[in-house]
Amino acid sequence: MKRNKAVAAWMMTLVVLALVLAGLGCSKEKGKVTLGFSQIGAESEWRTANTKSIEETAKAEGIELKLSDAQQKQENQIKAIRSFIAQKVDVIAFSPVVETGWEPVLREAKEAKIPVILTDRAVDTKDDSLWVTFIGSDFVEEGRRAAKWLVEKTKDRTDTVNIVELQGTVGSAPAIDRKKGFEEVIKDKPQLKIIRSQTGDFTRAKGKEVMEAFLKAEGKNIHVLYAHNDDMAIGAIQAIEEAGLRPGQDILIISIDAVKGAFEAMMAGKLNVTVECSPLLGPQLMSAVKDLMAGKTLPKRIVTEEGIFPMETAAQEFPKRKY
Ligand code: AHR
């Protein structure tokens, strides 16, 4: 009888031990909400600020963040999402490097009943039940704001204003939309003409390289540079200076993001205007994750509020900038 009791007690201890070990082996921290986030990479000052905002807010909100850097490759993002599904995270979020090609992996997440939040960039899918909400900027509006500034700036000119455009990553939402918004506004202004347009992949190095090629082909024929982000504009500024021209004067420069580097360039008189695109999406993302976990229904679209900063306001605004 005594022996049976001792065996039963041992069995119970073993069961408890097994449960504890299983708990420890599990990648999720007990009681914590787990968020798998697939980041695009570290291609720009904007992206670095975006990653920092997500990391800091997750920590502050007690959300366990599994962050994966895709190095600007869609295949890496797809792998990361599959690994989050396998790890059974509570929520998946990602900033899609390009718009298309996400259906299969998003379907897998849906089948696993893991909600997906899009941040910063949208996807182009027929079935929008594959993601719960999209948090980020209105890129088309950013393009319009950039063009409206140019229209106002050149309103007294009667000659043709030749524009070169540095586009973002091919197939990405901001590249497509910023081009669209800009063209929509200038289409009724025949004197504003885009003479060259090429991708600079959102990086300084590529921005410089492509601007060098533009300058080689067009020389002093270029009056305006429209860059889809500040990093490419900053790279292009170097190319313009190396070509013996004055950025901000000989060539008007318009870009998007409003990172600190752009304010420095504006204060030096080398960049004329930057349209704001805020990377500080951490607070909105974490609040969406918490709402989801509380069973709330999220709005399909959460738009970030943003402004525009011409160089005349740079010195005054610079101390207030958070990224
Ligand atoms: O998707 C947002 C864009 O991506 C930012 O404008 C750019 O700087 C970044 O790399």
Side-chain angles (χ1 to χ4, degrees):
M1 188 68 174
K2 258 188 184 172
R3 206 169 151 258
N4 281 354
K5 269 190 180 169
V7 171
W10 263 110
M11 297 277 277
M12 187 58 94
T13 313
L14 285 176
V15 169
V16 171
L17 203 63
L19 287 172
V20 169
L21 287 176
L24 287 176
C26 170
S27 55
K28 283 167 80 168
E29 231 180 274
K30 265 240 166 85
K32 269 199 170 186
V33 170
T34 315
L35 169 68
F37 186 83
S38 165
Q39 180 59 290
I40 291 177
E43 75 282 6
S44 61
E45 207 179 317
W46 189 101
R47 188 66 53 199
T48 313
N50 180 245
T51 303
K52 193 167 166 246
S53 168
I54 289 164
E55 284 174 330
E56 284 178 357
T57 328
K59 198 168 173 209
E61 295 293 338
I63 291 172
E64 193 192 339
L65 177 69
K66 294 176 181 295
L67 187 87
S68 166
D69 178 340
Q71 298 178 347
Q72 278 181 281
K73 291 199 174 76
Q74 182 176 34
E75 71 215 60
N76 291 345
Q77 288 202 291
I78 292 173
K79 268 189 214 149
I81 294 170
R82 289 209 165 112
S83 129
F84 296 148
I85 297 172
Q87 292 174 63
K88 297 187 170 49
V89 299
D90 297 303
V91 180
I92 292 173
F94 76 116
S95 180
V97 61
V98 291
E99 281 192 331
T100 55
W102 300 102
E103 261 102 344
V105 74
L106 290 183
R107 217 163 278 293
E108 288 166 35
K110 192 176 175 187
E111 274 156 21
K113 298 196 173 27
I114 302 177
V116 174
I117 298 177
L118 306 174
T119 72
D120 165 35
R121 299 184 184 181
V123 293
D124 184 0
T125 51
K126 282 203 184 82
D127 179 0
D128 69 4
S129 75
L130 297 177
W131 45 276
V132 287
T133 186
F134 165 37
I135 304 168
S137 312
D138 181 342
F139 296 138
V140 179
E141 183 54 28
E142 289 170 355
R144 287 190 200 111
R145 285 187 183 147
K148 282 180 190 163
W149 178 88
L150 181 63
V151 168
E152 178 59 25
K153 184 81 181 169
T154 54
K155 66 176 188 290
D156 298 327
R157 281 175 73 157
T158 47
D159 57 329
T160 302
V161 176
N162 292 329
I163 306 163
V164 293
E165 179 183 33
L166 280 171
Q167 295 184 41
T169 302
V170 176
S172 70
I176 296 166
D177 292 351
R178 287 171 183 168
K179 182 168 186 52
K180 187 172 160 201
F182 190 85
E183 286 177 348
E184 182 189 303
V185 173
I186 67 161
K187 76 173 188 307
D188 301 326
K189 309 280 168 197
Q191 80 276 22
L192 299 180
K193 228 175 117 195
I194 298 180
I195 54 167
R196 293 202 178 242
S197 181
Q198 208 179 304
T199 181
D201 210 13
F202 282 129
T203 68
R204 282 186 196 202
K206 266 277 181 163
K208 179 169 189 265
E209 188 186 311
V210 178
M211 190 67 203
E212 280 165 358
F214 286 164
L215 286 160
K216 208 167 168 200
E218 298 289 344
K220 290 191 174 157
N221 209 19
I222 302 171
H223 306 125
V224 176
L225 162 66
Y226 168 44
H228 288 190
N229 81 343
D230 291 335
D231 279 76
M232 292 189 294
I234 292 166
I237 286 171
Q238 275 181 39
I240 295 168
E241 286 180 321
E242 283 169 21
L245 295 168
R246 293 166 305 170
Q249 293 184 52
D250 299 323
I251 299 179
L252 292 179
I253 305 181
I254 307 167
S255 69
I256 297 179
D257 277 355
V259 296
K260 281 189 179 162
F263 279 81
E264 280 156 3
M266 288 196 288
M267 289 189 290
K270 298 177 182 182
L271 178 77
N272 301 84
V273 65
T274 183
V275 176
E276 190 177 31
C277 174
S278 176
L280 307 179
L281 302 178
Q284 282 172 305
L285 172 60
M286 298 314 149
S287 122
V289 169
K290 286 196 320 194
D291 282 352
L292 271 179
M293 291 295 100
K296 294 189 191 161
T297 308
L298 299 177
K300 202 72 190 169
R301 180 77 169 97
I302 302 172
V303 186
T304 315
E305 298 277 315
E306 290 153 342
I308 172 163
F309 301 98
M311 61 156 56
E312 296 74 23
T313 65
Q316 190 195 326
E317 292 295 329
F318 184 67
K320 299 184 223 159
R321 300 305 293 164
K322 292 202 178 71
Y323 61 93

